[in-house]
Amino acid sequence: MDIKDVVREKYAQAAIRVKTGESGCCSSACCGSGDSGDPITSNLYDTRQISDIPREAVQASLGCGNPTALAQLSQGDTVLDLGSGGGIDVLLSATRVGPAGKAYGLDMTDEMLTLARENQRKAGVHNVEFLKGEIENIPLPDNSVDVIISNCVINLSGDKDRVFVEAFRVLKPGGRFAVSDVVVRGEVPSEIRRSMELWVGCVAGALEEREYVSKLSKAGFEAVGVEPTRVYDVNDAREFLSGHGIDVDRVAPLVTNKFMSAFIRATKPTTTNRAS
Ligand SMILES: C[S@@+](CC[C@H](N)C(=O)[O-])C[C@H]1O[C@@H](n2cnc3c(N)ncnc32)[C@H](O)[C@@H]1O
């Protein structure tokens, strides 16, 4: 099984658990545990912000930030959420862009798409469309999107360069990349990088902060910035590393304050001069 199949399987289970009324995720095999005290996933949204969002969309939330709160979204914009899961950020975007705008969610996992479409029906919004596909091959035309958002998904990709090239392609000139993701500052032990379970849990595949900037720049983006929104201390590290065959007492202190959730912004230039 390659990493994409493992990711798909884990998030299919997460969607099923939400539908059957269990907790949001499958122990700590997903981004955070989905539990209320989880260091990565908990308390991302303001109660007022999600008051009109269906309960199942909130329960399925497995992100690590709140991209729509930080992104600049205007009435009439077309927004694309890469790895939309249960749809929470797509539904929040739909309200922000209004009936003249459109919010697309893209996800490769059938069970998540089913959940997201049910949540759309419950929310009664019409300017939303959930697409099946991979973030490495976005099923939208060139220059068709004003804003790309994403919440804790790009770290899961085994080909991040391809994701950034595709994001650049579908954005209109002047379009904005406004993404929440897990990012690493500095080196982390190789045993973390090697763990498939920690990859699926949004930890092992996280890009180093400078690498994130350089990959986005290489894809053609400008005004690239990484702004930490939550930095994980030793207790958080203990929590997300435990249960994966890692010597937590030894390794957690080595990664204290190195893992963080961050908001990453970048812009597609109005005149394209992408290096090939
Ligand atoms: C950690 S969850 C985040 C879901 C959502 N963004 C949120 O904040 O709740 C990751 C989601 O991304 C999807 N995903 C992961 N890798 C993907 C890929 N390469 N292409 C498309 N979807 C992907 C998974 O199916 C899952 O729904």
Side-chain angles (χ1 to χ4, degrees):
M1 242 196 205
D2 77 0
I3 189 74
K4 198 170 262 176
D5 294 327
V6 180
V7 168
R8 191 184 285 109
E9 176 56 28
K10 289 296 176 190
Y11 289 97
Q13 285 175 25
I16 290 166
R17 288 171 74 90
V18 170
K19 283 188 75 170
T20 55
E22 296 171 64
S23 65
C25 201
C26 29
S27 75
S28 51
C30 299
C31 277
S33 63
D35 296 339
S36 54
D38 179 84
I40 298 181
T41 313
S42 62
N43 302 323
L44 298 175
Y45 298 90
D46 188 79
T47 322
R48 263 178 313 162
Q49 193 189 9
I50 53 173
S51 57
D52 295 331
I53 299 291
R55 190 169 44 87
E56 292 81 356
V58 177
Q59 279 172 348
S61 161
L62 291 167
C64 53
N66 188 347
T68 63
L70 298 167
Q72 183 203 329
L73 298 179
S74 307
Q75 294 278 317
D77 276 350
T78 298
V79 179
L80 167 65
D81 183 10
L82 300 179
S84 43
I88 185 167
D89 294 316
V90 178
L91 298 178
L92 289 169
S93 300
T95 310
R96 295 270 298 282
V97 300
K102 174 114 189 200
Y104 289 103
L106 173 65
D107 207 287
M108 66 177 181
T109 305
D110 287 319
E111 292 80 352
M112 276 296 183
L113 288 164
T114 302
L115 182 63
R117 288 175 182 137
E118 278 175 21
N119 288 333
Q120 176 188 357
R121 189 181 46 75
K122 285 178 191 149
V125 289
H126 301 290
N127 58 340
V128 160
E129 193 175 338
F130 289 100
L131 306 171
K132 180 168 180 177
E134 299 183 349
I135 63 174
E136 296 84 0
N137 290 292
I138 300 174
L140 286 174
D142 298 359
N143 306 320
S144 58
V145 171
D146 294 291
V147 184
I148 286 188
I149 60 165
S150 184
N151 200 347
C152 229
V153 179
I154 293 173
N155 69 76
L156 294 168
S157 175
D159 190 352
K160 295 170 177 68
D161 287 318
R162 173 93 197 152
V163 176
F164 297 142
V165 165
E166 278 290 274
F168 189 88
R169 179 184 66 77
V170 300
L171 276 174
K172 296 176 187 171
R176 300 169 311 276
F177 179 93
V179 163
S180 294
D181 207 357
V182 175
V183 171
V184 177
R185 189 168 277 172
E187 289 295 309
V188 296
S190 56
E191 62 213 274
I192 292 184
R193 292 290 188 195
R194 281 196 304 266
S195 164
M196 184 84 109
E197 281 183 31
L198 286 175
W199 186 293
V200 174
C202 299
V203 169
L207 282 177
E208 209 280 330
E209 187 180 15
R210 283 163 301 188
E211 221 184 338
Y212 221 121
V213 174
S214 95
K215 283 179 182 294
L216 281 166
S217 305
K218 188 171 148 228
F221 285 97
E222 60 184 19
V224 181
V226 178
E227 181 189 323
T229 51
R230 195 177 277 186
V231 178
Y232 299 110
D233 66 16
V234 70
N235 294 322
D236 299 328
R238 293 185 73 84
E239 179 135 343
F240 61 66
L241 294 178
S242 61
H244 301 296
I246 301 267
D247 179 351
V248 172
D249 289 334
R250 183 176 61 78
V251 175
L254 302 178
V255 299
T256 299
N257 299 333
K258 285 190 173 177
F259 280 96
M260 58 194 73
S261 293
F263 182 64
I264 299 111
R265 61 178 94 233
T267 307
K268 177 168 174 173
T270 41
T271 51
T272 305
N273 54 356
R274 176 160 64 109
S276 56

